[in-house]
Amino acid sequence: MFKRILSVALALAMLVSCFALAACKDDGSLKRDPNAEYTYNTFLSTFPTVWNNHTYQTQTDSEIIGYTETGFYTFDYNETLDGYKIVPDMATAEPVDVTAEYVGEQWGIAEGDTAKAWKITLRQDIKWEDGTPINAHDFVESAKRLLNPVANNYRADSLYQGNLVVHNAKNYFYGGKTVTLPSDDIYEVYSADLDSKLVFSLAAPSEDRNCEVSMRTSMGFPASYDAAKCAAYIADGYLPGSAFTVEVAATMEGKTFAEIKADATMKAAWDALIGWWQTEPNEELDFFVAEQTYEEISFDTVGVKAVSDYELVLIIDKPLEGFYLLYSLTGAWLVKTDLYDSCITMTDGVYNITYGTSAETYMSYGPYKLQSFQADKQIVLVKNDQFYGYNDEANKNNYWTTKIVYDYIQNGETAMEAFLQGKLDAKGLDVDQMAEYSKSEHTYYTTGDSTFFIAINPDLDALKAEQEKVGANINKTILTVKEFRQALSFTLDRAAFCLATSPSNAPAFGAYSSLIISDPENGTAYRTTAQAKDVLVDFWGVKDEIGDGKLYATIDDAIDSITGYNLEMGKEYFNLAYDKAIADGLLKEGDTIEICVGIPNPEAKFYNNGYDFLVNNYTEAVKGTKLEGKLTFTKDDTIGNGFSDALKANQVDLLFGVGWTGSALDPYGLMEAYTSSDYQYDPAWNTTTETLTLAIEGKNYTATVWDWTLAIMGEKVTLTADDKSTIEYSCGTADKKPEERLNILAALEGAVLQTYDMIPIMDDASAALKGVQIKYYTEEYIYGVGRGGIKYMQYYYSDAEWDAFVAEQGGTLNYK
């Protein structure tokens, strides 16, 4: 599952990687002393606040989980140590297809179906750190708590969204809840007895109306719904002089159909509207929303079953098999239910849980256990003697590390001082340290899978409220003008930004990096596909310059030419943005634009240098434009690990160096991070109303951005053709339509980029010094296993030997 990540987290997150100083022992003599201590010393500049696997959100929050929990399956080295394979972890073997045993209406499985029910046989030696045995029933009970309708757990959708969709998991989670949906999602047939339930909404994300609208985008109809804009377009473009006017439409918005019919003015407007619109029965439903209450159901109907003490069956709605089945099971939702339940409180009907917020409120079943947690000071993990993996002969010479210590260090210079004193085993290099250590034999370079962005959440109402708080003549709403965000992109010299903040990184130009794999069976990188290349040349405006006799001979030549930097064009767009903002009442003459930049760690050079660079860059960029002297910046350095929530709430206006990590082998599922309001940095972009029209088997079909996302995750969605005919469509792993799936993914990436809410700025690369106490398993970084991680790490020195060695060097080590 993907997690939010900060650029500065990479240097250590990617590490857990020896070259030796002259005093290091010979590799062949490395033998573990069973009586010695081997401590891996590291640090974090931001500490986790919760490591409950049902609720955590960020990469930082998952730090502890990575050592204390495991999955049914896991990544390990292949036989030649140059790649990965997925092998059983808590499971004893690969899942067994038992679909035929669950045929029937109860599970939605028909005769002949396959890959919809899987049996996982568990190891019988899995235990909690206190020695309590773990069996299949614990996974069932943990799933019940994950999906608890009252809890609203952040990670609940891991069992009902994406590749792995457990039968009835979503229905159980939503049980008893009332949600507002497009009325045609609830009712197929309109009748007058629905009038009191139907609420008029021109902004309703109706399948049919969105698709119909998309066919008219070439005529200027807004592709992203705004009730007032839609009303104006219909009134002025299709019903001029009719009873349907912008003013009456505003009155109708939010009224029930019964109220509209009872008022002569609104009724006349409705008659004009539906007379223009309707060509088929029941299309009245296209203009309304309604409430739907999910029925409360028994957890017995959810497809997580313990068929014996050590056999767990997952019954799923979408067929899933092969690599993606195993990949979906590399994590787990297991919690110690008695401790978990003791951490739950209900205050005035509000659910709260403290599980995974301290050593006392958490329990491990992985290779290490949490010994102590001191907020913003120190985290200590020690070996969990109950860990099942220690029983395996294959691990006889693994897991040398007896203790893992995280210190809280915000300042990079302080961390470097500790590293040179032998108090840390690795240190990511910042911009100044790169100049000194970039050529050191102890410096390791790592390329990761993330892309880092400038993120903006252009929520008009929220920005209005924020600018009113700041004071008169302060403007923020210009951020809602796309041309302004485009200007921010065009006038950013990405190469210079990387040099100023993190020289090991390179500029980024797409939403997905070169390490995102679209076909894990064959190792095909998404960025190497024709579809992904087309996205880049189209987005950056060089598509028409490719071919014989043109500027670029090949598409690869065109991509290589992209810098993202066009100061002249950017200045034009600043002027366009100014004019549009004035015309639309989003900016007044004499206003000063104030952009508040979020700084998660005020001690990090990346953020300090980055902030200074952006302020200077944009202050210079607007010179000679209508915004010269009008653009100012402030910063909020109090947001810490809540950086994403701060942007979503418009507490800050802009973040930089933020992105996602965790789904490099599933870009189809990763797209959810950009298109689901549950995860977006920019939920102001309503993907349930924005539409895309794509060719499927030679015919154009339209659906919302969100529905296309669901389709590539294997969900059935309704597509509408130009002639208004519809089809039910899915394009997940089991549908076995890889080219169509890739086409849709690329179109979605293009849609994300075209918002200019998420402006790609740099790739995911880091440089770090590795201390000479530790030895990596492999020198090269391999996806899925890194350089061996804590499992395979060995030590040239025990703790006592290391202390003596550092003292012999005078207390300071030379890594140059």
Side-chain angles (χ1 to χ4, degrees):
M1 174 63 89
F2 44 82
K3 302 175 278 283
R4 295 186 180 89
I5 189 171
L6 296 168
S7 176
V8 293
L10 291 174
L12 290 181
M14 304 303 290
L15 244 167
V16 179
S17 287
C18 174
F19 271 101
L21 292 170
C24 273
K25 301 174 184 176
D26 175 30
D27 287 3
S29 67
L30 287 183
K31 293 182 180 179
R32 174 168 44 182
D33 180 348
N35 300 311
E37 293 292 318
Y38 299 94
T39 300
Y40 181 68
N41 292 289
T42 185
F43 77 100
L44 287 171
S45 59
T46 303
F47 260 31
T49 55
V50 58
W51 46 97
N52 175 353
N53 68 51
H54 293 182
T55 61
Y56 82 96
Q57 298 187 30
T58 68
Q59 171 76 11
T60 300
D61 285 339
S62 69
E63 284 286 338
I64 292 172
I65 294 173
Y67 297 112
T68 58
E69 301 183 17
T70 60
F72 297 103
Y73 301 90
T74 190
F75 284 90
D76 205 344
Y77 286 102
N78 63 14
E79 287 72 14
T80 53
L81 303 184
D82 58 0
Y84 65 81
K85 60 183 178 180
I86 299 181
V87 299
D89 198 339
M90 287 192 289
T92 61
E94 290 198 1
V96 176
D97 189 344
V98 292
T99 306
E101 298 176 24
Y102 293 90
V103 170
E105 184 177 346
Q106 178 184 1
W107 304 112
I109 294 176
E111 290 283 353
D113 282 353
T114 61
K116 294 183 72 175
W118 292 96
K119 182 171 69 176
I120 302 166
T121 300
L122 300 171
R123 297 176 59 127
Q124 298 186 23
D125 55 353
I126 308 172
K127 298 177 182 179
W128 293 106
E129 64 180 70
D130 64 0
T132 304
I134 295 171
N135 60 37
H137 303 283
D138 295 303
F139 288 91
V140 175
E141 287 299 314
S142 294
K144 186 174 182 179
R145 285 155 178 79
L146 173 62
L147 297 171
N148 180 357
V150 177
N152 289 318
N153 286 316
Y154 183 79
R155 295 285 170 184
D157 65 357
S158 63
L159 289 183
Y160 64 76
Q161 202 138 278
N163 286 322
L164 187 74
V165 178
V166 173
H167 185 72
N168 263 344
K170 183 175 183 178
N171 290 332
Y172 181 81
F173 179 67
Y174 278 97
K177 296 176 183 175
T178 299
V179 296
T180 300
L181 298 170
S183 59
D184 53 3
D185 281 359
I186 303 173
Y187 307 111
E188 294 183 3
V189 177
Y190 166 72
S191 60
D193 61 358
L194 297 177
D195 288 354
S196 62
K197 300 177 182 178
L198 303 179
V199 177
F200 186 80
S201 176
L202 278 180
S206 160
E207 286 279 3
D208 291 338
R209 187 152 44 81
N210 277 336
C211 295
E212 181 72 12
V213 166
S214 71
M215 288 186 275
R216 298 177 179 159
T217 52
S218 60
M219 298 183 285
F221 202 107
S224 184
Y225 269 107
D226 175 281
K229 289 181 180 178
C230 287
Y233 188 83
I234 295 170
D236 297 339
Y238 289 92
L239 299 173
S242 75
F244 184 87
T245 65
V246 172
E247 293 75 20
V248 178
T251 304
M252 295 168 68
E253 194 76 16
K255 297 291 194 304
T256 67
F257 201 1
E259 291 173 316
I260 290 171
K261 287 182 175 181
D263 180 274
T265 302
M266 290 192 290
K267 176 63 165 60
W270 167 257
D271 289 342
L273 177 65
I274 197 64
W276 158 70
W277 178 257
Q278 188 164 28
T279 58
E280 295 181 1
N282 306 310
E283 288 188 330
E284 295 90 342
L285 296 172
D286 292 352
F287 292 95
F288 295 91
V289 294
E291 289 186 340
Q292 174 175 298
T293 299
Y294 279 80
E295 178 186 352
E296 293 187 27
I297 61 174
S298 168
F299 190 77
D300 291 341
T301 66
V302 176
V304 182
K305 297 292 176 185
V307 295
S308 74
D309 284 347
Y310 295 100
E311 292 176 310
L312 182 72
V313 170
L314 298 180
I315 305 160
I316 55 181
D317 288 339
K318 301 184 301 183
L320 184 64
E321 57 189 324
F323 174 86
Y324 280 111
L325 173 64
L326 298 180
Y327 188 45
S328 297
L329 296 171
T330 53
W333 54 89
L334 186 63
V335 294
K336 195 166 194 301
T337 54
D338 56 347
L339 178 59
Y340 187 97
D341 292 345
S342 73
C343 295
I344 297 172
T345 58
M346 292 289 292
T347 305
D348 297 328
V350 177
Y351 176 97
N352 184 59
I353 184 166
T354 58
Y355 186 81
T357 59
S358 68
E360 295 72 30
T361 60
Y362 183 66
M363 190 71 72
S364 164
Y365 62 90
Y368 295 87
K369 61 184 178 181
L370 183 60
Q371 183 181 72
S372 63
F373 176 87
Q374 296 172 277
D376 292 347
K377 187 174 181 180
Q378 192 176 72
I379 302 169
V380 178
L381 299 110
V382 296
K383 291 188 83 167
N384 172 19
D385 59 6
Q386 300 293 329
F387 176 53
Y388 58 86
Y390 298 150
N391 299 328
D392 295 346
E393 183 66 24
N395 287 328
K396 185 177 180 179
N397 199 38
N398 294 334
Y399 296 106
W400 281 37
T401 303
T402 56
K403 182 187 295 185
I404 303 164
V405 176
Y406 283 94
D407 284 321
Y408 179 69
I409 306 176
Q410 285 193 297
N411 184 277
E413 293 302 323
T414 303
M416 178 56 82
E417 182 180 352
F419 175 77
L420 295 177
Q421 292 172 352
K423 297 176 181 178
L424 295 175
D425 287 309
K427 169 63 178 74
L429 298 177
D430 64 28
V431 60
D432 295 332
Q433 293 155 358
M434 274 291 290
E436 194 170 1
Y437 292 100
S438 62
K439 296 182 180 180
S440 168
E441 64 176 338
H442 308 288
T443 297
Y444 281 67
Y445 292 87
T446 301
T447 301
D449 58 84
S450 298
T451 297
F452 294 104
F453 300 85
I454 285 176
I456 300 166
N457 183 28
D459 184 316
L460 179 59
D461 291 337
L463 290 171
K464 281 181 178 178
E466 288 300 316
Q467 70 187 22
E468 289 171 4
K469 292 179 187 177
V470 178
N473 299 321
I474 296 297
N475 182 274
K476 294 179 180 291
T477 51
I478 196 171
L479 285 165
T480 66
V481 178
K482 182 177 178 179
E483 288 79 359
F484 182 79
R485 304 193 300 277
Q486 288 177 293
L488 293 179
S489 178
F490 300 151
T491 58
L492 178 63
D493 186 339
R494 289 162 171 79
F497 178 84
C498 290
L499 286 174
T501 58
S502 183
S504 60
N505 294 67
F509 309 110
Y512 282 175
S513 77
S514 60
L515 265 69
I516 299 295
I517 307 299
S518 55
D519 180 2
E521 301 283 2
N522 296 305
T524 304
Y526 167 71
R527 285 263 74 95
T528 66
T529 67
Q531 293 90 332
K533 291 178 181 181
D534 279 341
V535 171
L536 292 185
V537 296
D538 184 55
F539 178 68
W540 291 105
V542 293
K543 188 171 186 176
D544 294 335
E545 302 295 333
I546 302 169
D548 292 341
K550 296 186 177 181
L551 188 59
Y552 306 108
T554 68
I555 193 170
D556 291 331
D557 292 335
I559 290 172
D560 289 342
S561 76
I562 296 170
T563 67
Y565 184 54
N566 189 328
L567 184 59
E568 182 179 354
M569 180 183 290
K571 287 178 179 288
E572 292 176 7
Y573 271 79
F574 276 129
N575 284 331
L576 288 171
Y578 177 87
D579 291 341
K580 186 171 183 179
I582 291 290
D584 291 349
L586 296 171
L587 182 71
K588 300 190 298 293
E589 295 283 355
D591 277 359
T592 296
I593 300 163
E594 183 181 283
I595 297 177
C596 180
V597 181
I599 306 294
N601 179 6
E603 296 291 330
K605 286 184 180 178
F606 175 86
Y607 289 110
N608 290 322
N609 291 4
Y611 176 78
D612 290 342
F613 183 95
L614 293 179
V615 171
N616 293 332
N617 181 84
Y618 291 131
T619 301
E620 288 295 314
V622 296
K623 287 182 177 179
T625 76
K626 297 175 183 180
L627 290 175
E628 182 173 359
K630 299 178 185 294
L631 181 60
T632 64
F633 293 85
T634 62
K635 60 183 174 182
D636 183 342
D637 58 10
T638 67
I639 58 177
N641 202 30
F643 56 93
S644 175
D645 290 338
L647 182 64
K648 293 173 79 168
N650 293 95
Q651 174 187 337
V652 298
D653 305 315
L654 181 150
L655 296 172
F656 67 90
V658 297
W660 296 95
T661 188
S663 291
L665 300 180
D666 185 13
Y668 309 98
L670 179 58
M671 185 52 64
E672 185 183 4
Y674 298 92
T675 61
S676 167
S677 59
D678 290 339
Y679 300 109
Q680 288 170 283
Y681 284 96
D682 60 332
W685 182 38
N686 188 347
T687 60
T688 66
T689 58
E690 186 90 14
T691 58
L692 285 175
T693 299
L694 304 174
I696 302 295
E697 295 181 356
K699 188 173 183 178
N700 283 346
Y701 289 94
T702 300
T704 65
V705 166
W706 177 237
D707 277 346
W708 284 118
T709 304
L710 292 175
I712 60 173
M713 293 195 297
E715 299 281 347
K716 288 282 186 184
V717 299
T718 301
L719 306 184
T720 303
D722 291 350
D723 60 8
K724 296 193 71 174
S725 61
T726 62
I727 60 171
E728 293 298 304
Y729 179 80
S730 65
C731 199
T733 305
D735 294 297
K736 298 181 180 178
K737 295 178 278 192
E739 283 301 303
E740 284 184 19
R741 198 181 191 205
L742 194 54
N743 291 340
I744 298 168
L745 178 67
L748 287 168
E749 185 193 18
V752 170
L753 293 172
Q754 287 292 345
T755 67
Y756 287 88
D757 295 352
M758 299 290 289
I759 300 171
I761 55 174
M762 64 199 309
D763 68 7
D764 175 353
S766 63
L769 284 169
K770 183 198 68 63
V772 295
Q773 183 184 13
I774 60 175
K775 178 183 182 294
Y776 292 147
Y777 193 61
T778 54
E779 290 295 296
E780 296 301 318
Y781 183 90
I782 297 170
Y783 180 82
V785 290
R787 293 185 173 91
I790 211 76
K791 176 179 179 178
Y792 289 104
M793 184 185 293
Q794 295 181 347
Y795 289 76
Y796 289 103
Y797 304 91
S798 68
D799 289 356
E801 291 171 333
W802 179 246
D803 290 343
F805 172 72
V806 173
E808 288 173 5
Q809 310 305 309
T812 301
L813 303 175
N814 182 6
Y815 282 93
K816 293 181 181 178

